[in-house]
Amino acid sequence: MRVAIAGAGAVGRSVALELTENGHQVLLIDKSPGSIRSDLVPKAQWLLADACEMSSLEEAGLQTCDVVIAATGDDKVNLVVSLLAKTEFSVPRTVGRVNHPSNEWLFGETWGVDVAVSTPRLMSALVEEAVSVGDLVRLFTFRQSNTSLVELTMPDDSPFAGRLVRDVPWPRDVVLVAILRDNAIETPDPERSLEAGDELLFVTAPDAEDEIGALLSPKS
């Protein structure tokens, strides 16, 4: 599957890393030279360009993509990219990142968005679930791949609190995709530390979910 991702920030790179590790062909597009970090996602292709420009999308070969993900931090950009991908390049599936809840109503068929992903909505869902620290919560399931997005809040007495991401012996079929800390999204870089109270987001196979809790929560 060929996937183009507009926005090579923390979110875009995390998605690209997961997709490339699963064998998909990924192109990251960003207009900021500082965001072109090929060392962080070495298996991906990179394009320094404005994803809102038709010429840039033509250069990216968007008509050959199976999926386009609009993952920038600007809702206006994400809507434009989704609309162009759907109407001008006939991309079969578009995914749009919603940054501000007040704009969520725009992310639909009218703007060419097939799937809207709202980080604020995911975070509010965790609050509404009244999750206890150390409990694993399944946010949603990707039906085609039979994997799930799950969340776990690091307890104070976790054996890996204060340790680096690279020091954790992550179970097979478990991928840490983001760290939510102080209302910000942090990339799970190998040299980043895990702190008590961090909300960790994972993509995992169903039979590996229990291993995450057993690993990060203290043994009883």
Side-chain angles (χ1 to χ4, degrees):
M1 182 171 66
R2 185 168 192 259
V3 181
I5 301 176
V11 173
R13 291 198 305 269
S14 294
V15 174
L17 187 61
E18 171 70 12
L19 289 173
T20 56
E21 290 301 320
N22 285 336
H24 299 294
Q25 183 182 356
V26 177
L27 171 66
L28 280 158
I29 309 170
D30 204 293
K31 66 179 181 180
S32 172
S35 295
I36 305 301
R37 300 287 304 278
S38 58
D39 57 312
L40 297 180
V41 193
K43 295 181 181 179
Q45 297 175 311
W46 296 75
L47 177 63
L48 178 61
D50 187 346
C52 289
E53 297 288 342
M54 280 289 294
S55 59
S56 299
L57 300 181
E58 289 171 353
E59 182 181 356
L62 226 64
Q63 69 278 3
T64 67
C65 290
D66 301 290
V67 180
V68 166
I69 301 173
T72 78
D74 188 325
D75 285 343
K76 296 187 296 296
V77 171
N78 293 342
L79 288 170
V80 170
V81 170
S82 298
L83 184 62
L84 291 176
K86 183 64 69 174
T87 61
E88 300 297 326
F89 295 91
S90 300
V91 176
R93 190 170 182 82
T94 59
V95 179
R97 173 189 175 189
V98 185
N99 294 279
H100 301 288
S102 60
N103 296 330
E104 191 169 352
W105 66 277
L106 291 166
F107 285 74
E109 183 179 352
T110 302
W111 279 93
V113 180
D114 294 317
V115 179
V117 179
S118 173
T119 300
R121 179 176 290 276
L122 291 178
M123 295 181 70
S124 64
L126 295 177
V127 175
E128 290 170 359
E129 286 288 340
V131 179
S132 299
V133 172
D135 287 346
L136 191 75
V137 179
R138 183 183 299 171
L139 300 178
F140 59 84
T141 299
F142 304 97
R143 286 174 292 181
Q144 290 186 341
S145 62
N146 193 32
T147 58
S148 299
L149 180 69
V150 301
E151 185 272 354
L152 183 141
T153 300
M154 285 278 285
D156 293 341
D157 52 355
S158 169
F160 292 99
R163 302 280 297 277
L164 300 180
V165 170
R166 62 174 170 81
D167 293 333
V168 181
W170 301 109
R172 181 183 175 88
D173 296 329
V174 170
V175 178
L176 176 63
V177 296
I179 301 170
L180 307 183
R181 180 185 300 162
D182 298 329
N183 295 320
I185 301 175
E186 306 284 354
T187 57
D189 299 327
E191 300 302 319
R192 191 177 300 282
S193 65
L194 299 174
E195 305 297 341
D198 284 352
E199 294 182 45
L200 308 180
L201 297 182
F202 301 90
V203 173
T204 175
D207 57 2
E209 292 180 10
D210 291 342
E211 296 181 55
I212 301 173
L215 177 69
L216 299 179
S217 296
K219 302 293 189 297
S220 56

